[in-house]
Amino acid sequence: MDSQRNILLIALLFVSFLLFQQWNADNSPQTQNQTAAQSAMTQGDVPSHSGDSATIPGPSSSDKLIHIRTDVLDLTVDTLGGDIVEAKLLAYDNELDSSDPFVLLKNEPAHQFVAQSGLIGANGIDSTAGRAQLNAEQKEYVLADDQDELRVPLTYSKDGIEYTKTFTLHRDSYALEVSYTINNLSEKPATVQMYAQLKQTLMDDGGSLTMPTYRGGAYSADDEKYNKYSFDDMADKSLNLSMKKGWAAMMQHYFVSAWIPEAIPANANEETPSNNLFSRTSQGQGYIGVRMPSETVQPGSGLTTTAKLWVGPKLQDKMEATAENLNLTADYGWLWFIASPLHKLLSLIHGFVGNWGIAIIILTFMVRGVMFPLTKAQYTSMAKMRMLQPKLQAMRERFGDDRQRMSQEMMELYKKEKVNPLGGCLPLLLQMPIFIALYWALMESVELRHAPFFGWIHDLSAQDPYYVLPILMGVTMFLIQKMSPTTVTDPMQQKIMTFMPVLFTGFFLFFPSGLVLYWLVSNIVTLIQQSIIFKQLEKKGLHSK
């Protein structure tokens, strides 16, 4: 197996991988029309407390808004129900070099994405009549420079019961607590149930062949660490799961919003009510969320029920500290066990060098250094196979169409010469998972979003604007071909192999520059390793062009 065929195999595997990702994107739900989205905004967003997925009609938005600002978040809260209808991430630009922050949650006619929470049940304040109009003492709440915590209370009274919905935010944190305190001053017991859900206009993934992305639901439950649940899945079948711990999320490229209810103690008996994970679609909107167990407040008593909300970038360490398995929303696919350590190593290197592009270069040298024994075995096997070509050709002439005899003689020759005919292919197959895992590690790393390298590369998550890196990558691939020994004599195969660098260059023109940088540096390392290996083989008399 020679290097040209190895390159062809890489191309086939890689293109097949990209086509599979694009097939997933093409079969995702399409964006609904604006009329349906606007119609949905006039409907209520309160889930039934009976355990089904019904929607209770009623007004869901008003013009009475308050603003909450910390060092990393700028939230807009609608006091009708207390929903978060806009979330700006102050540390992330909307576009490269933009002065506007990235908006994750939004309440626009064409795209609504809001975080809702409320109380249902016999004494809930969200019902068929509509959402409760909560009262706020201020219109603006700002985390002061000398504060580490900001608490924003919204109040409501009904039938002798006082309700306080409190948002608690922390410095340098995308996780906040949303709690309800119920103070029962009436003469009867009060029963309430907290719910928390994410609502978003049904949209497609918005990805491409070279950058496949996912927009939709995801959840974690007792027996499932992480599972995607797309808008299509929601439309086909509503979720209705009981769980002691977990979360419900909506995610997109680089960012995620997730509700995390209070966990039920693991040692709780079977009769203890569990949290309920649910989803549904209605009027062009998708919903996913949790219902917490019903609570009864006796007269003269009070209680507080709380859920956490993550609304921010996919910062894996911070997400992992917020909720178990929430870091898995940085989705590395089935090769996560390789991609996750690569990302951690990349982050560690960045901590020393301070530049993500340089960190990618160092990581590439480290990965290729670890794989050097495989590379050496590959080229050694290729060289031995090339040296056996005259004997193999003589066998073909001698045995003609007797394939069985030819196969037996070939195996005897391989055994005698201690050659593994798959020795040049197996190292390549072992390298491919590493490349694909690193592909996802770079694709899913929000740290690379708008991260500059040097010169003309201002964003490692975007394509090279002048295509310099892809062209250099193609040139190095061509040089690798020229340096490698070949047994291919068929003119058509030779033309195909010659065309491979051009094909790869065409693909990589539209790839994120961080990934192209990795491939380019990997090719340079390959050229260096080839020179070293071939010199060693020449001393053994194995290498000859």
Side-chain angles (χ1 to χ4, degrees), residues 175-307:
L176 57 139
E177 292 90 40
V178 180
S179 63
Y180 279 91
T181 299
I182 300 96
N183 188 15
N184 187 3
L185 303 179
S186 71
E187 298 178 353
K188 299 179 180 179
T191 301
V192 296
Q193 182 181 19
M194 182 178 177
Y195 75 92
Q197 68 184 14
L198 296 161
K199 167 187 175 182
Q200 184 170 192
T201 303
L202 300 179
M203 306 184 73
D204 62 19
D205 287 347
S208 64
L209 178 63
T210 55
M211 187 173 290
T213 58
Y214 173 80
R215 180 189 291 272
Y219 68 89
S220 178
D222 298 341
D223 298 326
E224 298 181 78
K225 290 184 177 181
Y226 168 71
N227 195 10
K228 290 181 181 178
Y229 209 73
S230 68
F231 291 134
D232 258 354
D233 293 330
M234 296 180 196
D236 291 340
K237 182 180 180 181
S238 297
L239 280 172
N240 186 11
L241 301 176
S242 294
M243 65 179 189
K244 291 184 177 181
K245 62 179 181 179
W247 42 262
M250 282 193 179
M251 47 191 276
Q252 61 196 68
H253 198 200
Y254 298 132
F255 304 100
V256 63
S257 299
W259 280 110
I260 307 111
E262 290 183 320
I264 307 299
N267 59 357
N269 58 50
E270 295 181 358
E271 296 179 358
T272 302
S274 297
N275 294 311
N276 175 252
L277 176 70
F278 67 88
S279 73
R280 70 181 187 274
T281 58
S282 176
Q283 302 282 344
Q285 304 287 322
Y287 300 77
I288 190 168
V290 290
R291 300 181 190 86
M292 299 170 67
S294 294
E295 304 271 7
T296 299
V297 189
Q298 299 299 327
S301 300
L303 66 78
T304 299
T305 180
T306 304

Side-chain angles (χ1 to χ4, degrees), residues 388-514:
L388 293 179
Q389 287 304 307
K391 294 183 180 180
L392 292 174
Q393 183 60 34
M395 286 184 184
R396 294 187 185 97
E397 295 175 356
R398 190 183 338 147
F399 299 113
D401 296 332
D402 191 347
R403 296 185 179 182
Q404 182 176 359
R405 181 68 184 280
M406 175 68 182
S407 177
Q408 291 175 348
E409 292 294 330
M410 285 176 61
M411 296 307 297
E412 287 294 329
L413 179 62
Y414 293 151
K415 184 177 181 180
K416 178 181 177 182
E417 299 292 340
K418 298 180 181 180
V419 174
N420 181 358
L422 298 179
C425 184
L426 289 177
L428 176 72
L429 295 178
L430 293 174
Q431 293 172 33
M432 281 305 298
I434 296 176
F435 169 74
I436 296 175
L438 187 58
Y439 169 84
W440 279 114
L442 297 178
M443 289 284 291
E444 280 288 290
S445 297
V446 66
E447 294 87 349
L448 267 65
R449 181 181 184 267
H450 297 170
F453 179 31
F454 76 90
W456 71 99
I457 303 296
H458 303 293
D459 183 359
L460 286 166
S461 68
Q463 67 187 58
D464 185 336
Y466 302 112
Y467 308 116
V468 176
L469 293 181
I471 293 173
L472 291 176
M473 187 279 302
V475 171
T476 56
M477 182 173 286
F478 177 77
L479 292 176
I480 290 173
Q481 277 195 0
K482 287 296 182 181
M483 285 185 62
S484 301
T486 177
T487 61
V488 176
T489 58
D490 181 71
M492 181 58 68
Q493 290 188 38
Q494 290 179 346
K495 289 181 181 180
I496 292 175
M497 296 308 171
T498 303
F499 184 72
M500 291 308 299
V502 179
L503 177 63
F504 261 64
T505 301
F507 271 118
F508 276 73
L509 290 176
F510 308 100
F511 270 47
S513 54

